[in-house]
């Protein structure tokens, strides 16, 4: 029995149990009373609507379930950002599905709601996927309107994207099952087809109260924007239905008749499971990300038949590069090695650190994958670039810039999995959120920050102690220890996977055992979008 493996395995299973418990709480949306109120109107919950819509026995890959997690406490919270969304199959076609949760502040938009909806639209645009909007929203959350209404990445960007997606030939279907108010009224009308549920669905720029206040007219919601009015008089809606189920059935019929589109043509062979058990990853990776491990042991539990062909195996060993297949899809994998290795010059190199040679190798490998049209998968567990006089004089910034350049200009789809640490410039070099991965996921043990907690806390402590001493305050060892703990706790909270997922720095926190599935579905999505941009790296420092 391997004691360290068992300790890691227990810690990961505990973390996954906590993940499931927190997700179960998120699934409750706005709470039991709000759900009962919706049921009284014959409304389904957003996830129920999605499950009814997608193909039976198919998988729904949820995106942003932890958006808004632990945020807006003074406003009562915003579970899942007030929107449920992700990738699902409808009549065998992969689609992006976006469903408002009307139990969360009547589906009103918080700042994170806008960010999440824009992310889901971005996924549709990048991957040329049809979009189904299940609309049930009261519009902008007025107490926070200044943070959601006027800016470039706010509420109005949604409708700009509607227009651009339409011009790109991306199908958009809107099923209106509740309120669709004010600026939000443009979303269904800028979609290709609009369906409404009688009694519950409504579309108007101004509701009864605002109309009364603005022009003194008495009018009810049905006369202003009900399904009957919009299908018979205004012509704004295309279909009306008595029930949500009938409405969603029609969405399925529409999607079923979509024509085929050109594909990117990424290679896919016959899928095969790894020969090594994927769940053994639980015991390989330590929960606090401090213990060394051989990343090849992780890769061999992710790739088909556990077969992996290393590129430049004996050079730049702190980054492992190579070719494999995931669920049949050909991929190029770039992964941080976490064991201590010895370079060809007989020098010891620390795991999780990017050195000159490993940066050089990874940049070259990324170029190869772009040349061959092979999607890239980044397994990110990085502490940053090597520092110190020797490293700086060897040009680590120059070699790091090559890697960042290659990642930034890559034209093949990139999928990033944060399997451990994601610190500093290492986050950039290993395709963090700022470098446009098609999808980015995190394991529960992931930590994302400008530097590790211990280094950051000690740096911040020095700054605070110096500031206090400048004011004439005496800092004894006990007070310094107390101050360090306070700083460390706050910093560690901000580096957690949940903090990142709440702000959509990652698309979702996943079970490591689901890594193959999300990579496969990500490449399947990317395969809908032919590569239109020529691979050009720009100027490399030499």
């Amino acid at each position: 029995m391997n004691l360290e493996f068992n300790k890691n395995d227990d810690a990961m299973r505990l973390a996954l149990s906590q993940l499931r418990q927190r997700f179960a709480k998120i699934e409750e949306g706005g709470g039991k009373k709000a759900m009962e109120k919706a049921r009284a109107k014959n409304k389904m919950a957003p996830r129920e609507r999605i499950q009814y819509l997608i193909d039976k026995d198919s998988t729904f890959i949820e995106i942003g379930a932890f958006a808004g997690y632990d945020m807006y406490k003074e406003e009562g919270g915003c579970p899942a950002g007030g929107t449920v969304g992700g990738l699902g199959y409808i009549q065998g076609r992969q689609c992006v599905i976006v469903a408002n949760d009307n139990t969360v502040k009547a589906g009103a938009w918080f700042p994170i709601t806008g960010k999440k909806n824009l992310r889901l639209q971005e996924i549709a645009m990048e991957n040329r996927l049809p979009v189904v909007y299940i609309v049930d929203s009261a519009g902008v959350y007025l107490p926070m309107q200044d943070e959601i209404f006027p800016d470039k990445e706010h509420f109005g960007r949604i409708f700009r994207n509607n227009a651009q997606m339409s011009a790109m030939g991306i199908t958009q279907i809107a099923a209106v099952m509740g309120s669709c108010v004010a600026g939000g009224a443009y979303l269904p009308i800028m979609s290709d087809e609009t369906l409404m549920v009688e009694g519950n669905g409504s579309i108007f720029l101004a509701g009864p109260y605002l109309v009364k206040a603005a022009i003194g007219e008495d009018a009810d919601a049905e006369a202003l924007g009900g399904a009957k009015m919009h299908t018979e008089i205004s012509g704004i809606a295309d279909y009306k239905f008595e029930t949500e189920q009938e409405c969603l059935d029609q969405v399925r019929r529409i999607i079923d008749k979509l024509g085929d589109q050109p594909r990117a043509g990424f290679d896919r062979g016959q899928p095969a499971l790894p020969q090594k058990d994927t769940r053994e990853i639980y015991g390989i990776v330590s929960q606090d990300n401090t213990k060394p491990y051989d990343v090849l042991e992780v890769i061999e539990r992710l790739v088909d038949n556990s077969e992996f062909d290393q590129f430049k195996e004996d050079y730049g060993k702190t980054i492992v590069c190579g070719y494999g297949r995931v669920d049949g899809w050909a991929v190029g994998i770039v992964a941080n090695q976490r064991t201590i290795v010895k370079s060809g010059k007989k020098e010891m190199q620390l795991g999780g650190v990017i050195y000159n040679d490993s940066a050089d190798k990874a940049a070259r490998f990324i170029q190869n994958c772009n040349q061959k049209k092979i999607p890239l998968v980044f397994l990110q567990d990085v502490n940053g670039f090597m520092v110190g006089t020797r490293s700086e004089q060897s040009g680590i910034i120059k070699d790091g810039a090559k890697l960042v350049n290659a990642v930034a200009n890559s034209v093949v789809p990139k999928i990033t999995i944060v399997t451990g640490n994601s610190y500093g410039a290492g986050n950039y070099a290993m395709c963090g959120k700022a470098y446009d991965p098609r999808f980015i996921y995190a394991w529960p043990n992931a930590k994302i920050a400008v530097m590790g907690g211990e280094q950051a806390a000690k740096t911040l402590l020095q700054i605070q102690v110096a500031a206090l001493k400048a004011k004439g305050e005496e800092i004894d060892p006990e007070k310094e220890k107390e101050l360090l703990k306070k700083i460390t706790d706050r910093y560690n909270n901000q580096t957690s996977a949940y903090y990142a997922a709440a702000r959509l720095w990652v698309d979702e926190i996943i079970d490591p055992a689901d890594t193959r599935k999300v990579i496969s579905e990500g490449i399947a999505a990317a395969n809908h979008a032919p590569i239109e941009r020529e691979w050009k790296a720009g100027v490399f420092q030499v």
Side-chain angles (χ1 to χ4, degrees), residues 205-232:
L205 292 179
Y209 294 121
L210 183 53
V211 168
K212 177 68 174 175
I215 63 173
E217 180 185 358
D218 289 309
D220 62 24
E222 281 297 314
L224 285 169
K228 184 177 175 65
M229 189 280 284
H230 279 312
T231 53
E232 297 180 10

Side-chain angles (χ1 to χ4, degrees), residues 67-297:
Y69 182 78
D70 256 357
M71 295 169 65
Y72 313 117
K73 290 181 180 179
E74 66 282 1
E75 305 292 337
C78 187
T83 299
V84 180
L87 300 175
Y89 285 88
I90 303 171
Q91 298 295 81
R93 296 173 187 267
Q94 196 178 32
C95 300
V96 171
I97 305 170
V98 186
N100 299 121
D101 187 347
N102 82 300
T103 69
V104 179
K105 294 287 192 297
W109 286 50
F110 283 68
I112 196 65
T113 315
K115 188 173 183 179
K116 180 172 175 178
N117 278 268
L118 288 170
R119 172 62 181 142
L120 290 163
Q121 286 187 323
E122 179 183 46
I123 289 169
M125 294 168 81
E126 284 186 330
N127 300 292
R128 302 292 200 277
L129 295 177
V131 188
V132 176
Y133 304 102
I134 302 176
V135 186
D136 194 347
S137 171
V140 167
Y141 183 60
L142 288 177
M144 303 186 76
Q145 65 85 27
D146 61 318
E147 297 180 52
I148 183 60
F149 170 65
D151 212 341
K152 181 180 177 179
E153 301 300 331
H154 285 177
F155 192 58
R157 189 79 170 183
I158 299 291
F159 318 125
R160 174 264 192 193
N161 287 351
N162 289 144
Q164 291 220 330
M165 281 192 278
S166 183
M168 292 166 67
I170 297 172
T171 297
Q172 299 173 83
I173 308 297
V176 181
M177 298 187 170
S179 297
C180 191
V181 183
Y186 287 106
L187 183 144
I189 311 313
M190 297 186 77
S191 298
D192 298 345
E193 298 189 55
T194 302
L195 302 78
M196 296 185 71
V197 176
E198 293 183 271
N200 288 332
S202 60
I203 305 172
F204 40 62
L205 292 179
Y209 294 121
L210 183 53
V211 168
K212 177 68 174 175
I215 63 173
E217 180 185 358
D218 289 309
D220 62 24
E222 281 297 314
L224 285 169
K228 184 177 175 65
M229 189 280 284
H230 279 312
T231 53
E232 297 180 10
I233 300 174
S234 75
I236 277 176
D238 305 305
Y239 312 86
K240 68 176 186 292
F241 302 93
E242 291 184 3
T243 68
E244 293 188 355
Q245 289 83 352
E246 290 172 336
C247 182
L248 294 172
D249 288 340
Q250 179 63 26
V251 173
R252 289 178 57 81
R253 288 192 289 271
I254 294 170
I255 296 293
D256 184 49
K257 296 173 179 65
L258 297 182
D260 284 337
Q261 299 289 336
R263 302 293 174 106
F266 302 126
D267 185 70
R268 191 178 195 186
Q270 182 64 37
L273 293 172
Q275 291 184 8
K276 297 183 178 181
D277 186 356
T278 301
R279 282 187 167 76
E280 288 178 353
I281 291 172
Y282 298 170
I284 295 170
V285 178
S286 67
Q287 195 60 30
D288 59 4
N289 306 337
T290 59
K291 305 291 194 308
Y293 65 89
D294 186 352
V295 76
L296 286 169
E297 293 293 334

Side-chain angles (χ1 to χ4, degrees), residues 18-29:
Q18 183 184 59
L19 179 69
R20 287 188 290 269
Q21 289 170 17
R22 291 179 174 181
F23 178 71
K25 183 65 178 173
I26 288 168
E27 282 186 304
E28 295 175 4

